[in-house]
Amino acid sequence: MAMQKELIDKILKLKKKKKAVILVHNYQRPVIYKIADFIGDSLDLSIAATETTARIIVFCGVDFMAESAKILNPEKKVLLPTKAATCPMAAMINATALRKFKKRHPGAAVVCYINTTAEVKAESDICCTSRNAGEIVNSLPNKQIIFVPDIHLAEYVQTQTKKRIIPWKGYCYVHAAILAETIKEAKKSHPKAEVIAHPESPMEVLKLADHVCGTGGMIKYAKQSKAKEFIVATEEGMTNRLKLEVPGKKFYPAAGVCFNQKAVNLKNVYESLNREKYEIEVPEKVRIKAKKALDRMLEISID
Ligand code: 13P
Ligand code: SF4
């Protein structure tokens, strides 16, 4: 514990000296919350990245989040504390595969989830997050929408639009493993609890939910709901964040760990700041095209 406090102090001092900002995703370890300048969901973090005046951004999250920060801030140094912090779902489609898919569906617009590489964003018309996916799809004039890479989010979006959603068959290993049975059992154990579910979860799970939303939406919902207990169908770390943000209510995790998010720790954050590694780089040609997809989303989502 003393060592932990020492590391936290060292990080905070170095952060000040280097004019760095630390952005932290909700799924991160609670100890990482302690060094954060900003904690949030993917959309909040993208917005925070556009608003910071810092010279360095240390991203405590996974690769596509840090990459989005770099796309929006080319003049800043964006660091990912460890190369293990990747998102396997984002790696389930690449630019070549998307180009081929687009040829098979001429006339369809391409909406990419923010959980994608810069190259895939560059091949897309607009980006979305778990918070705004339905709104983004409905903002487009096209009747057919290619939606990549998450098939579960695509199925959820299909319930929110009359357009035809053409999904890519990617998935998140943490959310795809949530079983309807687990939710039913949890409801038996906690009959007064409401179920809140992330839209990366399978449809059988979403059907059992009282509310479907991204991680940021879960905090808002838990605060305003009359319920005092919640079964949380998303990465288990979210319950730590909910407990801090909504004291006095109870949260029960219904999903496992995202080992990729949890690869970030105090030691590698310190090393990252100290040695200014691992620097995120995006080729300028790709960055400009990917930025268009992110900017279009932010124009719709900021107001
Ligand atoms: P949120 O944007 O809801 O935080 O989701 C990010 C993510 O990776 C979910 O698995
Ligand atoms: Fe990617 Fe799933 Fe981890 Fe989110 S929880 S970062 S989608 S692997």
Side-chain angles (χ1 to χ4, degrees):
M1 266 330 221
M3 244 176 74
Q4 204 176 71
K5 167 122 190 16
E6 218 174 276
L7 253 182
I8 291 175
D9 288 347
K10 276 167 83 177
I11 291 170
L12 295 178
K13 262 192 210 141
L14 198 55
K15 181 171 82 160
K16 212 168 164 192
K17 190 173 147 203
K18 294 208 173 189
K19 293 193 172 56
V21 70
I22 300 184
L23 303 184
V24 173
H25 187 261
N26 288 323
Y27 293 161
Q28 289 284 302
R29 298 164 187 273
V31 73
I32 302 293
Y33 299 161
K34 294 189 182 164
I35 53 163
D37 290 287
F38 192 86
I39 313 173
D41 65 15
S42 307
L43 183 61
D44 292 329
L45 294 172
S46 296
I47 296 169
T50 63
E51 289 172 349
T52 179
T53 53
R55 185 177 73 85
I56 296 176
I57 298 175
V58 180
F59 219 111
C60 298
V62 287
D63 53 358
F64 72 83
M65 298 177 181
E67 221 177 42
S68 298
K70 182 66 186 180
I71 293 166
L72 295 166
N73 294 278
E75 75 295 346
K76 294 194 173 108
K77 203 174 235 187
V78 179
L79 305 172
L80 190 65
T82 164
K83 285 188 174 171
T86 58
C87 172
M89 172 161 71
M92 286 178 186
I93 186 164
N94 61 30
T96 314
L98 179 53
R99 275 194 292 268
K100 271 193 201 157
F101 201 52
K102 278 170 30 173
K103 276 200 186 129
R104 283 173 46 202
H105 302 284
V110 181
V111 177
C112 69
Y113 191 24
I114 195 158
N115 300 39
T116 43
T117 61
E119 275 195 352
V120 167
K121 286 186 179 75
E123 284 293 329
S124 304
D125 294 298
I126 188 164
C127 194
C128 76
T129 74
S130 58
R131 178 137 44 112
N132 57 22
E135 188 190 357
I136 296 287
V137 162
N138 286 323
S139 75
L140 300 168
N142 313 57
K143 289 202 169 78
Q144 298 201 39
I145 310 288
I146 291 174
F147 192 94
V148 300
D150 186 12
I151 189 158
H152 298 297
L153 182 58
E155 280 174 4
Y156 175 63
V157 170
Q158 187 64 83
T159 68
Q160 304 194 318
T161 185
K162 289 194 172 74
K163 297 175 192 291
R164 180 176 163 235
I165 304 292
I166 307 163
W168 188 257
K169 289 182 183 163
Y171 61 90
C172 160
Y173 73 96
V174 181
H175 291 86
I178 307 175
L179 300 175
E181 270 317 305
T182 309
I183 306 294
K184 285 180 194 158
E185 285 301 317
K187 279 174 94 159
K188 270 190 214 154
S189 309
H190 310 288
K192 289 193 180 142
E194 283 194 338
V195 177
I196 44 181
H198 196 283
E200 288 176 18
S201 312
M203 191 49 78
E204 312 88 79
V205 169
L206 299 185
K207 280 186 184 154
L208 297 171
D210 295 283
H211 190 61
V212 177
C213 57
T215 61
M218 288 183 177
I219 298 171
K220 268 193 216 124
Y221 184 78
K223 276 185 183 163
Q224 50 112 80
S225 165
K226 286 199 176 87
K228 297 271 185 288
E229 296 174 74
F230 300 85
I231 295 157
V232 185
T234 194
E235 204 270 344
E236 58 90 46
M238 190 60 208
T239 53
N240 296 320
R241 180 90 171 106
L242 284 160
K243 281 175 198 161
L244 284 175
E245 287 296 311
V246 198
K249 296 197 178 183
K250 286 187 174 155
F251 299 95
Y252 311 112
V257 174
C258 175
F259 296 104
N260 308 71
Q261 287 265 4
K262 261 55 176 195
V264 176
N265 57 41
L266 284 179
K267 213 166 154 229
N268 56 33
V269 172
Y270 177 73
E271 282 301 308
S272 172
L273 251 179
N274 196 26
R275 297 182 186 208
E276 303 195 4
K277 65 176 191 181
Y278 296 93
E279 195 176 347
I280 301 288
E281 279 172 289
V282 181
E284 191 58 7
K285 248 170 104 181
V286 174
R287 190 192 70 79
I288 289 170
K289 285 173 82 185
K291 186 170 183 292
K292 275 192 193 142
L294 276 169
D295 282 344
R296 283 190 192 123
M297 168 183 82
L298 292 173
E299 271 163 32
I300 294 175
S301 294
I302 278 184
D303 32 272

